[in-house]
Amino acid sequence: MQKRLLFTLFTTIFIDAIGFAMLAPIIPVVFFDTTSPDFLLTAYSEQTRYLIAGIVLALYGIVQFFAAPILGELSDVYGRKRLLMLGVTVLALSQLSFGLGIAAGSLALLFVSRIVGGFGAANFSIAQAMIADVTEPKDRAKNFGLIGAAFGLAFMIGPAIAGYVAGITGDASSPFWIAAGLGVLNLLSVAFFMPETRVLSTEEKKIFNLFKGIRNIRDALFNVETRAIYSSNFFYLCAFAFMTSFFGILLVNKFMLTETDIGIFFSIVGVWIAFTQLVVLRFVTRYFSERRILFLALPIIAVALALHPFMANSMWLFVIIPIYSIPHALAMATMPALISKAVPSEMQGAALGINGSLMAFSQGIIPIVAGTVTALIGLTAPFIIGGLFVVMSWLVLFVFTRRLV
C-alpha cells in the first residue's frame, strides 16, 4: 500500500501546489504593474499597495492557522481521506473565486478567495500525517521530501503555465480557470485512488474534542520535548514567509520582469527544489542526520536570502537560485521529520497539524509585517529580516537548547 499511497499523495499535492504556484507571476502584476489591463489598485499609493498585497497574502495563512490543527485532529479521529477530499474541494473553489475576482476587478472577492483557500491548506499537514502513518521513523525525512518535491515540480510548472497563459490571452484571470479544473480532477483522484491510512474504532471516535487541536498548540509550545523543534521551525517558516511574500514584487519593481519572465524564474527554482528532494535528499539522508543537515543548510540559506535584493541585475538572481534552493529544499524536508520523530504515533496528525498551523501563523502575520516594513523602509527589508530569522532558527536548534532528537 505504501507505494500506491505515496504516488497518489504526490499527485494530489502536486496538483494542489500547481494552483498555489500560479499566484506567483500574477499577484505582482495585478497589484503593481500599472501598465497591465488587469491592474486593480489604481486608486492607491505605492505604499498602500504594499499593505494591501500583504493583507491579501496574509488572509490565507490566518485562516489556515485556525484550520490546520483542527483538521489535523479530525483526520486523527475520522480518518485522513475524507478530510483530504474536503480540502481539495475547497482549494478548487478558492481558485475559481480568485479568477472571478480578477475578471470582475473585485478586490473584495480576492479577499474571500484567500479566506476560502486557507481552509483547504491543511491538506499538506494531512498528507504528512498519511506518510507518517505508513513510514518507519528512519525513512520519514526522505518520504516527506516527496511533498517538497511535489511543490518543487509544481513551482517549475505552475508559474510557467500561469505566465504563459496570461501572456497569450492578455488576461490574468485565465490561469485560474485551469487551476479550478485541475482541482476537480484532483478530487476524483483522491476519491477513487487514495487508500485510507488511519481507521479507528467507534470507541476511539468518542474521545474527539473540536478544540483539542488548539490545546495541542499550547501543549506543544510548552512541552520541553517539542518546544525547541517547533520554535526553530517557526523562525524558519517566518523567514520563508518574508521572502515569498514580496519576492514576485521585487522581480517586477526592481528587475522589471513580466509575467512570463517571473514564471520562468520560479520554474527554475522549482527544478532545483524537485531535483534536491527527489535525488539529493535521498543521498544525503544516508550519511547525515536531520540535525546535521540543518546545521549546515541554515547558515547558507540565511546569507543567500539576505543577498537577493542586492543583486546588480536579474542575471545574478538566476545565478544564486541553486545556492538558496538546494539547502532550502533540504530544510523543508528535515524539519517535519524532526517533529514527526518527537511525538508518538497516535499524535502524528495533530503534531503535523500543529506544524501546519505554525506555518499558517507565519504566513498570516509575516506578509502584513513585510508589507508594513516595505512601505516604510523599502523592498530590501523583508529579505534582510528573513535572513535574520533563519539565523534565529539555527541558534534555537543548536545553541540555545540541548539536543532533543
Side-chain angles (χ1 to χ4, degrees):
M1 183 180 77
Q2 187 186 69
K3 289 184 178 179
R4 176 188 168 193
L5 171 72
L6 293 177
F7 177 78
T8 309
L9 271 178
F10 180 88
T11 303
T12 301
I13 298 303
F14 173 62
I15 295 174
D16 272 353
I18 283 179
F20 184 80
M22 282 184 175
L23 289 168
I26 303 300
I27 284 184
V29 172
V30 170
F31 288 164
F32 291 93
D33 187 354
T34 57
T35 65
S36 170
D38 295 300
F39 179 65
L40 295 180
L41 304 182
T42 53
Y44 301 93
S45 67
E46 184 175 8
Q47 287 74 20
T48 305
R49 291 171 198 161
Y50 287 130
L51 294 175
I52 291 173
I55 293 169
V56 169
L57 293 169
L59 284 172
Y60 180 90
I62 291 170
V63 175
Q64 187 187 0
F65 170 70
F66 292 101
I70 293 173
L71 293 177
E73 180 71 10
L74 282 167
S75 77
D76 278 342
V77 175
Y78 293 105
R80 318 288 190 206
K81 181 175 178 176
R82 65 181 68 182
L83 271 298
L84 195 60
M85 289 177 63
L86 176 63
V88 167
T89 303
V90 168
L91 284 179
L93 292 173
S94 173
Q95 298 293 351
L96 179 64
S97 58
F98 200 89
L100 290 172
I102 294 174
S106 171
L107 188 60
L109 193 50
L110 297 186
F111 287 156
V112 170
S113 169
R114 297 294 286 171
I115 291 170
V116 171
F119 283 101
N123 285 0
F124 309 119
S125 297
I126 294 172
Q128 288 178 330
M130 294 181 86
I131 289 174
D133 287 339
V134 299
T135 305
E136 293 295 325
K138 63 183 179 65
D139 295 323
R140 283 178 188 162
K142 68 180 182 182
N143 285 342
F144 283 152
L146 290 173
I147 295 177
F151 267 95
L153 289 172
F155 269 86
M156 180 175 64
I157 296 172
I161 293 174
Y164 177 75
V165 172
I168 63 172
T169 62
D171 180 4
S173 68
S174 54
F176 297 97
W177 315 138
I178 297 174
L182 289 173
V184 174
L185 293 177
N186 212 11
L187 174 61
L188 295 174
S189 173
V190 174
F192 290 105
F193 301 109
M194 181 75 73
E196 177 57 75
T197 62
R198 185 167 175 81
V199 180
L200 302 183
S201 68
T202 304
E203 289 73 19
E204 287 176 298
K205 291 183 180 181
K206 288 180 180 178
I207 65 171
F208 174 68
N209 184 315
L210 183 62
F211 300 103
K212 188 175 179 181
I214 296 174
R215 291 205 303 270
N216 282 340
I217 296 176
R218 179 201 62 196
D219 295 342
L221 295 178
F222 286 95
N223 186 327
V224 69
E225 296 302 320
T226 57
R227 182 172 53 207
I229 304 168
Y230 278 122
S231 299
S232 176
N233 194 33
F234 176 67
F235 281 121
Y236 184 74
L237 292 169
C238 286
F240 184 62
F242 266 110
M243 178 184 181
T244 55
S245 296
F246 281 80
F247 196 80
I249 296 167
L250 178 74
L251 296 179
V252 169
N253 281 16
K254 180 173 181 177
F255 298 101
M256 307 300 176
L257 300 189
T258 65
E259 306 113 305
T260 304
D261 297 330
I262 296 171
I264 292 171
F265 181 88
F266 281 108
S267 294
I268 296 173
V269 172
V271 169
W272 281 106
I273 291 176
F275 172 75
T276 301
Q277 297 202 319
L278 286 173
V279 179
V280 177
L281 180 66
R282 290 175 179 266
F283 173 79
V284 168
T285 51
R286 293 178 187 173
Y287 302 100
F288 299 98
S289 68
E290 288 90 350
R291 284 180 58 87
R292 186 62 177 171
I293 292 169
L294 290 169
F295 182 84
L296 299 172
L298 292 178
I300 299 172
I301 295 169
V303 174
L305 178 53
L307 286 177
H308 276 90
F310 299 102
M311 296 296 100
N313 52 54
S314 58
M315 180 195 73
W316 287 106
L317 280 180
F318 284 88
V319 169
I320 67 170
I321 285 175
I323 299 173
Y324 174 81
S325 298
I326 291 174
H328 168 65
L330 293 173
M332 290 301 283
T334 51
M335 281 285 195
L338 277 181
I339 293 169
S340 178
K341 290 167 70 172
V343 299
S345 60
E346 66 272 14
M347 285 288 295
Q348 291 298 317
L352 293 169
I354 291 166
N355 189 53
S357 192
L358 292 175
M359 178 175 67
F361 185 75
S362 68
Q363 291 175 345
I365 298 301
I366 296 304
I368 297 175
V369 175
T372 303
V373 298
T374 301
L376 294 174
I377 301 173
L379 266 174
T380 58
F383 300 88
I384 295 173
I385 297 172
L388 293 175
F389 267 86
V390 178
V391 172
M392 282 300 300
S393 175
W394 188 90
L395 290 174
V396 167
L397 202 56
F398 299 106
V399 176
F400 297 156
T401 57
R402 63 184 177 86
R403 179 169 180 159
L404 298 174
V405 177

